């Protein structure tokens, strides 16, 4: 059996452009979330306010997700993504102005921030299924696994740099000018995307009634037990393991490391995940993928518990780093499952169903973490979330035996 080329997806020009678009867009988005977290907590000194940021984004993202998936399957993907980036630019520009010193101190500024985050949730509902669908149009099926690995790695690289840049930018130039950097990166994503050609629409049911289309997408995920098990597992694990949302509290009040230490804390999980994904390009995770997925998320839960209990900065960094390592493994496997087992004509709808489960679980996790932190205390909330993750892994492994026995080597043809 010939050895697989770890760079096979990178040999396609448009895929490289796609990676540039995704990198710049995720970088801008992750920076924006961090900057807003810092600004809101600085204004309120209340962990509940951090939970509300997640809630404001997840309500529209989940509420519109299925309809967005239908539209994505009906429309040309590149043009739709251009419109999404333009909308994101408008939101980022609004946040840039509301963080001006003369406006940031106003009582109403907090409500404007929440409103703009809500609008961002509307845009996000379309971005996730559009990017997922576009990926399958810039590479052939035989390199889907490799492309999914590089795409996820790019996502993680941006997630590494985004929080780190945001943390250091807040420290050096303040919240307001940090927002200007976000606008610049969004513009870079837009310009790069213009270099990808328009793609055909692989959907024989153009004009299909919307509710019939939505039902078809939901039923497909329900009946494809491997997809259903994978995204359910990831959603609940991230929902209860959302310690990252409380990092401003740990950085300012528990570990007392300030904005500079906050940047390192935010970057640590993504560094671990990025390293894992680069290694997985050379050492594919397809063999015994189900067991590896379960083991990875179990390890993630353990890392979250260690982080919650730690009062030592370097132990906290290590715990977050290894939470990223385990999360990187689960992400590569889940994205490979999605790419290999989803028909082209249903990619938008299936990705939208997934986004309800996983794409918004970070924001729901932020809300859950903020709420439980208010009710239980910050440390107890994080440890509780990690324990719930462990329980989820065990119960999912029992409930979805097909997922547990999953081997993707046969599908990667």
């Amino acid at each position: 059996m010939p050895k697989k080329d770890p760079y096979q997806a990178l040999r396609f020009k448009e895929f490289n452009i796609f990676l540039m678009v995704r990198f710049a867009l995720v970088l801008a988005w992750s920076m924006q979330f961090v900057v807003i977290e810092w600004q809101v907590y600085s204004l309120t000194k209340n962990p509940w306010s951090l939970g509300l940021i997640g809630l404001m984004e997840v309500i529209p993202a989940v509420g519109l997700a299925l309809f967005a998936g239908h539209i994505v399957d009906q429309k040309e993907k590149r043009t739709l993504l251009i419109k999404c980036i333009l909308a994101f630019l408008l939101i980022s520009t609004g946040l840039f102005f509301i963080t001006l010193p003369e406006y940031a101190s106003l009582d109403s500024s907090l409500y404007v921030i929440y409103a703009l985050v809500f609008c961002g949730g509307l845009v996000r509902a379309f971005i996730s299924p559009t990017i997922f669908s576009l990926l399958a149009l810039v590479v052939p099926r035989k390199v889907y696994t490799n492309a999914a690995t590089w795409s996820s790695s790019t996502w993680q690289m941006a997630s590494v740099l985004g929080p780190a840049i945001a943390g250091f930018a807040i420290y050096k130039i303040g919240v307001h000018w940090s927002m200007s950097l976000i606008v610049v990166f969004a513009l870079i994503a837009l310009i790069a995307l213009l270099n990808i050609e328009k793609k055909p629409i692989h959907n024989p049911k153009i004009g299909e009634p919307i509710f019939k289309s939505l039902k078809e997408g939901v039923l497909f995920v329900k009946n494809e037990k491997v997809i259903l098990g994978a995204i359910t597992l990831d959603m609940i694990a991230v929902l209860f393991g959302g310690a990252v949302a409380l990092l401003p509290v740990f950085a300012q009040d528990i570990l007392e490391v300030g904005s500079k230490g906050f940047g390192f804390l935010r970057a640590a999980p993504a560094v671990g995940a990025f390293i894992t994904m680069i290694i997985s390009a050379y050492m594919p995770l397809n063999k015994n993928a189900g067991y590896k997925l379960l083991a990875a998320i179990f390890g993630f839960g353990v890392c979250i518990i260690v982080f919650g209990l730690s009062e030592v900065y370097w132990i906290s960094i290590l715990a977050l780093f290894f939470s990223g390592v385990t999360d990187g493994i689960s992400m590569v496997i889940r994205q490979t499952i999605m790419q290999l087992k989803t028909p082209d004509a249903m990619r938008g709808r299936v990705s939208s169903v997934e986004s309800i489960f996983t794409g918004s679980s970070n924001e729901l996790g932020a809300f859950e973490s903020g709420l439980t932190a208010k009710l239980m205390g910050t440390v107890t909330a994080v440890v509780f979330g990690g324990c719930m993750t462990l329980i989820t892994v065990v119960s999912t492994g029992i409930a979805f035996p097909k997922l547990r026995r999953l081997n993707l080597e046969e599908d990667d043809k």
Side-chain angles (χ1 to χ4, degrees), residues 246-274:
L246 297 174
L247 285 185
V249 184
F250 279 87
Q252 294 186 39
D253 300 335
I254 298 176
L255 300 173
E256 298 180 348
V257 292
S259 59
K260 186 176 181 180
F262 173 64
F264 282 116
L265 289 170
R266 282 293 314 210
V271 170
F274 176 65

Side-chain angles (χ1 to χ4, degrees), residues 275-398:
I275 291 173
T276 299
M277 290 178 179
I278 292 297
I279 293 173
S280 68
Y282 296 86
M283 301 172 61
L285 299 168
N286 290 2
K287 186 176 181 181
N288 298 322
Y291 284 109
K292 290 175 181 176
L293 178 63
L294 291 168
I297 298 182
F298 189 91
F300 174 81
V302 171
C303 292
I304 293 301
I305 293 172
V306 172
F307 170 76
L309 294 174
S310 171
E311 296 181 357
V312 180
Y313 181 56
W314 68 267
I315 293 178
S316 299
I317 288 284
L318 284 176
L320 290 173
F321 172 81
F322 283 108
S323 78
V325 169
T326 52
D327 188 44
I329 294 172
S330 70
M331 180 176 293
V332 168
I333 295 174
R334 180 166 51 83
Q335 287 300 311
T336 301
I337 290 171
M338 294 291 294
Q339 288 292 345
L340 290 176
K341 295 188 175 293
T342 304
D344 287 341
M346 298 186 66
R347 290 187 180 277
R349 282 164 289 173
V350 172
S351 179
S352 291
V353 174
E354 184 209 18
S355 72
I356 293 176
F357 282 77
T358 62
S360 300
S361 55
N362 286 318
E363 285 69 37
L364 278 174
F367 174 69
E368 181 272 338
S369 295
L371 177 60
T372 54
K374 184 177 178 63
L375 297 176
M376 305 177 180
T378 301
V379 171
T380 305
V382 172
V383 174
F384 168 77
C387 291
M388 290 301 297
T389 300
L390 301 186
I391 294 171
T392 298
V393 172
V394 175
S395 58
T396 303
I398 295 171

Side-chain angles (χ1 to χ4, degrees), residues 11 36 61 89 93 120 132 134 138 155 163 178 186 197 218 241 276 310 315 322 338 343 345 351 374 376 398 409:
R11 304 192 190 285
I36 293 308
L89 272 167
T93 302
F132 178 78
L134 185 60
V138 295
W155 185 92
S178 296
E197 295 182 359
V218 172
T276 299
S310 171
I315 293 178
F322 283 108
M338 294 291 294
S351 179
K374 184 177 178 63
M376 305 177 180
I398 295 171
E409 286 186 318

